[in-house]
Amino acid sequence: MWKSLLNLNFKIGKDAKQSILSYEDAVRRVPVQDLNRLRNVFRRDAIGDHLPKSTFSSCVMGEAVPQKVAEAIFSAFGGTSRGITFKDLLAGLVLLSCGTQDEKLELLFHLCSGGTSSMPVMDLIALVKASEDGKVPQHVIHAFGTSELITADQFKGWISQYWSTMGLTRWLLENDFMPELICEPGRHEIPTFYQTLAGVTHLDEKEIFDLEKFYGSLKALSTNGRFDLPLFASLVSPPVPSAVVAHLFHAFDENGDGHLDLKEIVCGISACSRGPLPDRQKFCFKIFDIRRRKTLTIDEVVLMLRTVVCVDEAAVATDGEDSQFLKMAEDILARYSSDPAHSLLTLEEFLIWSDKCRLTVKFMRLLFQVCHIVLGLKPQHKEDEFSSVIEWSQRDAQRIKLPGDVYYIISMEWWSTWERYVKELTHDGLGDADAGITNGGRKRSNALTYATDMIRDIQSPFKQASSSRASTPTLSRSSSTMSVQLRHPGFINNQPLLMSDRTALKSMTDEGGILHKRPDGELQKDDKDFKLVCQAVWRVLSHWYSGRLELPRQCVRLDNGDVVVDIFPVCFKLYKHRVVETGRPYGAYPYAYSGMVSGYSGAGSSYPNSGRSTTERFAFATAAFSSYTKFTEIHDHICRRLRLPSDDLRLWIYADDNNMTLIDDENVNVKRMGLRDFDKILVEIRNRDLTWPEELSSLSGSAVAVARKSSHLSRSGSISREDGSYEKGCCGLNNLGNTCFLNSAIQCISYSRPLTYYFKMGQFLNELNRTNPIGYGGLIAERYAELIGQLWSGKLRTVAPFKLRSIIGKHAPAFNGYQQHDSQELLDFLLNGLHEDLNRVQDKPYVELNDSEGRVDEVVAHEAWENHLRRNQSIVVDLFHGLLRSRVKCQTCSNSSVRFDPFSVLSLPLPLDNLMILELNLVRCDGGGPIKYGLRIDPDSTFDGLIQAFAKACGVPASLIVPVEVHNGIVKRYVPCEQKIQTVTFDGRLYMYQVPTDPDQVTLPDSVEWMETKTNDAWIMAIHRRMVHNDGYYLAWAKATPKTFGTPVMVNQDKGTTNRQLYERVWLQIKRFVGPDSTAVEDCNHAQECGVCPSEFSFVLRIVREDGNWCERCPWYKFCRGCPLAVNDDLFRSASTTIAIDWEPTFYHLRYQDSLEFMILEHESVRRARQEHVEPISLDSCLKAFTHEEELGPDALYSCGKCRKPQLASKRMQLWKLPPALVIHFKRFQKVRELWVKSHKVVTFPVSGFDFSSYLVAPTSVTPPMDELQLASAPSLVNVHSEVCSLPDSSSNNPNRFTNGPPIPVGQGDGDQCHSDYGTVEDETEQRYHNGDGDSKRNSFPDGTGTASVTSQWTSTPSDDASSSCSLAELSDSTDSQRLSSSHRLDLPVDSKYDLYAICCHSGLLATGHYVAYCKNPNGKWYLFNDSSCKEILEKDIDTSTAYMLFYERKDLDYDSFLPEVSAATSSASPATIERSTSSGRAEITAVSNPVATDKTDSAADDKKSMCAIQ
C-alpha cells in the first residue's frame, strides 16, 4: 500500500492561515531597523498590497527551497491567489526564523493539517517527498503502522525522534540551518565598490557616488560609449596644453586599456587633487614619466618645462626658446641628478626640485581645477569652488571661439547669490589666486626669464626647503566660520529669463526657450541680466546645484568672419500635415484628394476615395536656429529628430495657405530668407505611398500641374536659368501613389536622346499605327509624346503623368493600384507599347522559325533578324533591339541546336548569395584572449559543418572544438552538432571553445553523448562569480547574492588532477584579466596596502551547480553557495561539471580589469569574410556569368533530334548584335524557397567607354558544306553573302549594325579560329556540320536567358537535306521579294564602345522599396530624379550601389539617322497639333509632316537644327 502511495503527488499546504503567531506578537520580536527594512522591501516587490506567489518563492524563500515546499509555506502563511499581505508575511517569517521549538512543530503540523486536529498520512508523505527531492525514508513509511490519520501528539513525538533525517525539519529546527530574519552585524557583509574605493582614496562614499553620476554624463558624450583619449582631450584641452594631454590621460589610465573607468577616475582625482602635497607632486611626476621607468630623461624634463611655462598665465610665448628650455633642463639635471652622467631625474630628486622651484605650482593648480571643473568633484572648501569656476572662465574668455562652441546662460540673480555665498565663506576672496606671483620683489613679465633666474638663485636644495614650502601658494584653504548664516543659492533657476510659452508646443531644438525683452523693450544683456558661461562650468554647476533648465547657445560665424555667441536665435513654429475625417462632399475641401483624376477613363476608381478624408496643416513643435544657420542644417536636424530619411522630408516657408515657398536651395541661411521669430515652416513628410501631401493638394481637380508654389530661390548646380525657365529635361514627376517605379523608368527612357528627339520633333505622327491589332491605337505613343514635351519644355518644375499612367493602367491592370511594381517590367511594357503604336509594318506576315540545321551562324543570324524585321519595324527596334545567340547541346551525343532571338532589355543574373556571415570567438586554452574568426556558411548546414569550417579557419582540430552558448556568464547549453544553424536561436552568445587537453593522451567522448549528458572526464567549466551586497532582503541568505559575469573558461581535468593543479590551471586562463602590472601597486593612484590579495590566489574555487548560484554537494536547507576547494594536493573529486571562480571583493574592485573581457583579437578572416560578404562584382563578371555555359537539370530536358528522346543538355547564351541604345537589367529579385529575395550585391560598371566587343560572338571560321560554298560563289548571292560576312566601311552611319568582331573569310582553317571568353565558336560549328542537325518542331523549353521580351523554344529532328541545301538561295529569294530598309542590314561597326547616360536605382525590399533615377543631361551634368525632386549631382556622388537598370548609348551615335524617311506618297499621317501651350503651363508639341526630301543635305541640316531643341 505504502509503495503505491509513493508514486502519487498529494497536495500539501492547506488553504488555511496559521494562527500560531499574530502580527502584533511578531512586531514585538523584530528590531525597528529590521522591521523598516522588511517594509521597504515589501513595497518594492509588492503589487498593491499583496506580494505575488512567484515573488515569494524566488525572493523570500529562495530558489534553493523546493517549489512545493515554498508553495506549502506560502499557503500556511495566509497567501491567496492575489498574494500575501505584509502582516501575514511578517508573522510567518518571524515564526519561521524566531519561533520557539513548539511553535515550529505546530507550523510543521499545520503545513499538512491545515489547522485541523489531525492530518492524513498521505499528506505527510507528500511533504517529506517534496522536501527530500522525491525520496521518502523507510521510517516514515512504517512510523504509523496502518493508521491513515495522525494526531498532533503523534506527529510531535515522531518528529522529536526523527527530525534530523529530513531536510525540512533540519532547516526549521536545527540551529545551524534555521532561516535568519535578523542578520547579525558583520555577518554576510560584502564590501561595496564605494566602500572599497573610499578605503583606498581620500574621497568618501558620497563623493564617489556623485562622481559616478557625473562620470556617466561625460561618458554619454562619447561617440563610442567609452571614456577614451579623444573624449578626454575634448574636455580638458584647452586649457591643458595639447602636447601633454595624452600623458595626462595615461597617468589616469592605470591599466593601459585605452579608456578610463570609474575606478581610474576616482583614484586619479584622489591622487591629483586630494591628499598631501607630495602625493600631488608624485602624480605630476607620473605625467611626464612617459617611459614609465620612474626617472625623467632630459627630453621629458624639457617637455615638463614647456608645459609648466605654457600654463603660467604670465608667460609670453617667444620664438627660439628650444635652446633655453634645453639649457634649463641641463641645469636642473646638473644640480639635482645623482646619476653619474646627469641624464636622469628620479622621483625623489623631482620632489626636491619642485619644492625649491615654484614653476609646477600653477600646473598642479590647473590639474586641481581639471578634477573639479571637468571631472565633477565637489570642492571641500568654497574658496576652491569660487576660484576654480572664476579662473576656468577667465581662461576660456581668452581662447579663440570656434563656430559650434556651446555656451550656457545663467540667471544673473542666481549667479550673484552664488558669488556672495562662496565669497563670504572665504577669508579674503581669491587671495593669491589673482595676485601676481613675485620672486624677491620682481614682478614676472616673462615666465621663461623668471624660471631661468629662479633656477640660478637656488642655493642648497636642503637649506631653503622649509622656506620654499612656506612661500608656495596653497592649492586650497579652509573656510572661515561665518557669524551670519548666508542664503544658499539653491537650484539654478533660469525660468524668469524666458517669455511665457502660450502655445505649449514641444521644442525640437535644445535652446531651452526664448529670452524675453526687458521692460524698456531692449534685449537682455550679458553680465547685466544673465551670465554667459562655458560648457564645462555649466556642466559642473548644474551637477553641484541641480540646474533644471538649460539655455545653451551656439557660436556662429558672422558675415564679416567674426565668431560670436548667438544669444537670440530665431524661433520658428513648425507645421506638418495630418489626415482628418470630414463629412464634406467631394471637392468641398481645398486639400481633398477627390476629383484628382476626373475625366480619365478607367483611372478614377484607382485612386484613393477621399471624399471623407482630408489633410490639414497644424502646428506640432517649435525650433530655434541661428540667423546664420543654413537650411540644409535645419533639414538634417529635423530629419534626425523625426528619424526620417533625408529624401522623405521637405521644408516650406508657410506664410499662409495661399503663400508658400518651397526651400529649394538648402544652402541659403535664415537671415537671407528674412525670417523672424515665430514665422511658420511647414515640414512636409512623404506619405507611405511615396506621394507628397502638398502635391496631392495642388493636383486636386487638375490633371496636369506644375509645382503648386514654385520657389524664387536659385539652387546650387541650379536647374533654373536667369530668365526664370529651367534646364530642359530637368523636370520632376509627381508621385501618384507608389508610382516611383513609373517615374524612374520614364526619366531614364526620356534621356534616350534619339527617341526624345523623334517625339519632340513630332516625327512619330508620321508613323502612328492605329490599326495594329496588338497595338494600343496610338494612345500610348501620343500620351508619351505629350509627357516628353512637358519634361523637355524647360518651363515646368514638375509634371503629373496622369494620362500616361491612365492608359498604361487601362491596358495593363497589373500596374494599377498603389502597390509597388517592378520598374523593369514597366519599361518593357512601355517600350513594347511604343513599338506597336509606331510599327511601320501595317500587315505582319507569317514567319516560320527555323532551326540552325548545321548552317553557319552568320546565315542563321541574318535569317532570324530579317524575319524579326518583317514583322517589327519602328524606332524602338532601331534603337533598343539586339540579337542573342542561344545554343543547346545534348550531353549524350553532343548534338547542338542554335537559335537567334531578339531582345530589348538585356537581363543579367546576379549571384544570389544566401550565405550568412558568422563571427565566432575562439576561447583558447592557453590563457590568451579570445580570437574572432569570420566565416561565410550556408544556413542550411549543421553545426558539425560549422565546426569543420571553423577548425579549418583557426587551425585547431575539429575534435577539440566545442560550441557553447553562454548567457549571463554561465553555460546555457552545449549545441548539438546535428542541429541546423538556421533553426537555432540564441538567448546568449555562441562561443567556440578549444578543449584544453592533448588529443594523444586523452580520448574525448562522442560529441553527441557528452552534449546530452553534460558530463565528461576531459574538462570542467569555470564561471566567474562575485558576491554582491544587497540591502533589500527578507532572510539573511539573500544579504549577499552571487553575480555571474564574463565568459566561462574551460579547464582540463582528469582522475589525477589535484586541487592545486586546478587552481593553477584556472589562474593560467584568467590572469590576463588582472593585467600584467597586478603586483606593481607602488605606481597606482591609490593606497598600496589594499591592492594585493593576502592569499596565494585572488579567488576561491567552489563546487556549484550549472546555474552558478548554489552548491552541488550540499542539501538545499544549508543554503550553501558552493563548497570551497582548499589549495592543497588532494585529488579533485566532483561529479559537477561547473566550478565557480569567486573573486575576492576588494581585489576585484581594484585590480580586475573588466574591460579586458571585451578585448577580442580579430583574425584576418573577419575582414576577409566581411569584404566577401559585401564585395561588389563588376559588370564584366555579370556578362561572363550570362555567357557562361550552364548545365540544365532534369526538369528541363532537351528533345534531341539525334537521340530521338529528351536528354540532359547544356545551354549557353551569347551576344550577337548589340542595339545602339543598350538597356541592362540586373536580376536582383529571385524566388528562393517560395519567397522573393532581393540581392543587394553591389555592381560596379564604367560610365564611359565600356567595350562590349569581348562578349560578342566571333564570326565562324569553319568551312561550310559544299552546297553552301557553291551557293556562296554564285554571282547573284555575292551581295547577300557580303552583307552577312564582311565588314562595312568604317564611315557607315547605319545605326542598327551588328556590333561584332572583325570578319574572317569563310573557308579559312584552324589557324585563324576565333576564341571567345569561354571557348571557341569553331568547335560548336563543326559539331553542327557533322551531327546533321535537321528541321525543327517546336517543343516547350525553359528560357532562362534573362531577356525581358523574348522567349525561346528548342527541339531537334532528323536532318532533311532537301530543306537545308538551299538556305542561302531561299534567303536571297525572300530578300528580293520583300526589300527591307537599308538601316537594318547586318553590318559590323568598328566601334563597340558605349557611354552611360541613365541609371535606374532601387533601394529597400521588393514591396517597400523606392526607385530613383540618375540621368546625364545634354549639358554634360548629371541629375538625380527622385519623383518630383530634381537635383544636380556630381558624377562621383552617384549612388551606384543600388543600380537596377543601366542605360548605355553607343559612342558617337548619329541621332539624325534614326529619323524615318517619309515621302508624300507614303505618308499616312497628316500634320496635327497634339496640344499647345495653355495658361496652366501645359507643354506644346507640334507635329511636322516631312515633305519629300529632294535635297538630303538640306534635310539633314534642318534635322540637326531641330536637334538643338533638346540640347
Side-chain angles (χ1 to χ4, degrees), residues 1314-1423:
C1314 195
H1315 293 268
S1316 64
D1317 289 340
Y1318 291 87
T1320 64
V1321 184
E1322 175 191 12
D1323 299 333
E1324 301 174 6
T1325 311
E1326 284 185 352
Q1327 292 170 358
R1328 294 201 304 272
Y1329 285 127
H1330 298 290
N1331 291 337
D1333 292 350
D1335 200 1
S1336 302
K1337 292 184 180 179
R1338 312 298 177 203
N1339 292 331
S1340 297
F1341 186 84
D1343 177 27
T1345 64
T1347 57
S1349 58
V1350 180
T1351 57
S1352 303
Q1353 295 174 335
W1354 291 91
T1355 187
S1356 179
T1357 56
S1359 175
D1360 184 2
D1361 295 338
S1363 61
S1364 61
S1365 59
C1366 336
S1367 57
L1368 284 177
E1370 293 175 355
L1371 177 61
S1372 177
D1373 294 340
S1374 63
T1375 305
D1376 292 336
S1377 62
Q1378 183 175 353
R1379 177 60 56 190
L1380 301 176
S1381 172
S1382 62
S1383 64
H1384 299 292
R1385 294 178 304 166
L1386 292 169
D1387 296 334
L1388 302 175
V1390 175
D1391 193 1
S1392 58
K1393 295 182 179 180
Y1394 282 72
D1395 293 335
L1396 187 71
Y1397 66 89
I1399 311 172
C1400 178
C1401 296
H1402 180 270
S1403 58
L1405 302 178
L1406 176 63
T1408 59
H1410 182 57
Y1411 288 96
V1412 297
Y1414 297 92
C1415 301
K1416 187 175 183 180
N1417 197 270
N1419 62 14
K1421 299 178 181 180
W1422 283 89
Y1423 292 87

Side-chain angles (χ1 to χ4, degrees), residues 72 74 127 251 289 360 379 407 469 599 662 666 770 856 878 886 900 980 988 1052 1099 1149 1154 1304 1316 1337 1380 1422 1506:
F74 176 79
L127 179 64
D289 184 14
T360 59
Y407 285 79
R469 290 194 183 97
L662 177 65
E666 295 181 349
R770 301 186 184 275
V856 294
D878 299 343
S886 306
F900 290 86
K980 287 189 175 183
N1052 62 314
F1099 57 89
H1149 293 150
D1154 50 2
I1304 299 178
S1316 64
K1337 292 184 180 179
L1380 301 176
W1422 283 89
S1506 302

Side-chain angles (χ1 to χ4, degrees), residues 9 17 36 55 166 373 558 621 765 822 984 1160 1172 1183 1469:
N9 292 322
K17 175 181 174 182
N36 292 334
T55 307
M166 293 186 300
I373 301 298
L558 303 181
L765 293 173
D822 192 341
V984 179
I1160 301 175
E1172 291 176 357
L1183 289 168

Side-chain angles (χ1 to χ4, degrees), residues 341-527:
H342 296 288
S343 60
L344 298 175
L345 190 70
T346 64
L347 174 61
E348 293 76 10
E349 295 162 352
F350 171 82
L351 294 178
I352 296 174
W353 172 79
S354 60
D355 281 341
K356 296 292 295 180
C357 181
R358 301 169 60 188
L359 280 177
T360 59
V361 172
K362 283 209 169 183
F363 180 67
M364 289 190 292
R365 178 71 181 175
L366 176 61
L367 297 181
F368 177 85
Q369 294 172 2
V370 166
C371 294
H372 292 81
I373 301 298
V374 176
L375 301 180
L377 177 64
K378 180 84 174 195
Q380 290 180 308
H381 311 296
K382 292 303 176 184
E383 62 175 324
D384 292 329
E385 177 183 334
F386 181 71
S387 61
S388 297
V389 170
I390 297 301
E391 289 180 24
W392 195 276
S393 300
Q394 290 174 351
R395 289 192 187 95
D396 181 80
Q398 295 174 1
R399 75 178 184 89
I400 300 176
K401 296 181 177 61
L402 298 175
D405 290 347
V406 179
Y407 285 79
Y408 287 79
I409 294 175
I410 296 180
S411 170
M412 201 63 189
E413 179 183 357
W414 184 92
W415 181 265
S416 301
T417 305
W418 172 80
E419 277 189 327
R420 290 193 299 269
Y421 176 71
V422 295
K423 272 186 177 181
E424 295 299 331
L425 291 178
T426 64
H427 288 291
D428 53 354
L430 285 177
D432 291 338
D434 286 340
I437 300 178
T438 62
N439 181 46
R442 297 192 303 268
K443 182 73 177 181
R444 180 174 35 153
S445 60
N446 185 291
L448 183 59
T449 305
Y450 164 72
T452 306
D453 295 340
M454 190 162 135
I455 293 174
R456 293 172 183 169
D457 293 339
I458 295 176
Q459 300 176 6
S460 172
F462 301 99
K463 184 176 179 181
Q464 298 181 354
S466 58
S467 61
S468 295
R469 290 194 183 97
S471 62
T472 302
T474 59
L475 299 181
S476 63
R477 293 177 300 180
S478 301
S479 60
S480 61
T481 304
M482 302 301 298
S483 59
V484 180
Q485 185 68 28
L486 296 175
R487 183 169 65 92
H488 190 276
F491 68 90
I492 304 176
N493 184 16
N494 289 327
Q495 192 63 45
L497 298 175
L498 305 180
M499 63 175 59
S500 60
D501 187 4
R502 300 177 181 177
T503 59
L505 295 176
K506 184 178 179 181
S507 176
M508 295 190 68
T509 50
D510 300 324
E511 81 286 350
I514 304 300
L515 302 183
H516 65 71
K517 294 184 178 181
R518 301 173 60 187
D520 57 1
E522 296 293 330
L523 297 176
Q524 299 186 42
K525 297 181 180 180
D526 187 15
D527 288 332

Side-chain angles (χ1 to χ4, degrees), residues 133-187:
D133 196 18
K135 300 177 182 179
V136 180
Q138 290 294 323
H139 66 83
V140 178
I141 300 176
H142 303 291
F144 304 101
T146 58
S147 300
E148 296 185 358
L149 296 176
I150 306 173
T151 64
D153 294 336
Q154 289 177 320
F155 177 78
K156 292 179 181 179
W158 172 75
I159 285 292
S160 62
Q161 184 178 359
Y162 296 104
W163 66 271
S164 62
T165 61
M166 293 186 300
L168 179 60
T169 54
R170 294 192 66 181
W171 180 45
L172 294 179
L173 302 177
E174 189 171 347
N175 292 332
D176 293 338
F177 306 133
M178 68 176 53
E180 300 179 30
L181 182 65
I182 304 171
C183 188
E184 298 178 0
R187 189 176 182 184

Side-chain angles (χ1 to χ4, degrees), residues 708-820:
R708 185 172 178 234
K709 309 291 184 302
S710 61
S711 172
H712 63 269
L713 301 176
S714 61
R715 59 190 300 166
S716 59
S718 178
I719 64 173
S720 60
R721 298 173 176 173
E722 296 181 356
D723 58 356
S725 62
Y726 302 101
E727 195 71 43
K728 292 186 177 181
C730 297
C731 178
L733 291 172
N734 294 121
N735 194 307
L736 306 179
N738 268 332
T739 58
C740 58
F741 71 97
L742 171 72
N743 296 343
S744 60
I746 291 177
Q747 293 287 9
C748 289
I749 201 67
S750 73
Y751 271 78
S752 299
R753 291 160 67 183
L755 184 64
T756 298
Y757 176 36
Y758 172 83
F759 279 100
K760 180 72 176 176
M761 298 307 298
Q763 298 291 337
F764 74 98
L765 293 173
N766 299 315
E767 296 187 335
L768 278 178
N769 190 341
R770 301 186 184 275
T771 62
N772 190 349
I774 59 175
Y776 305 99
L779 293 178
I780 288 184
E782 290 177 342
R783 296 294 179 260
Y784 180 79
E786 180 183 346
L787 184 60
I788 288 297
Q790 296 167 356
L791 293 177
W792 289 86
S793 66
K795 301 177 181 179
L796 307 176
R797 283 295 309 275
T798 59
V799 174
F802 281 122
K803 291 185 178 181
L804 183 61
R805 188 196 178 190
S806 174
I807 195 65
I808 291 176
K810 178 180 179 180
H811 296 283
F815 295 114
N816 276 333
Y818 295 90
Q819 300 299 319
Q820 187 66 269

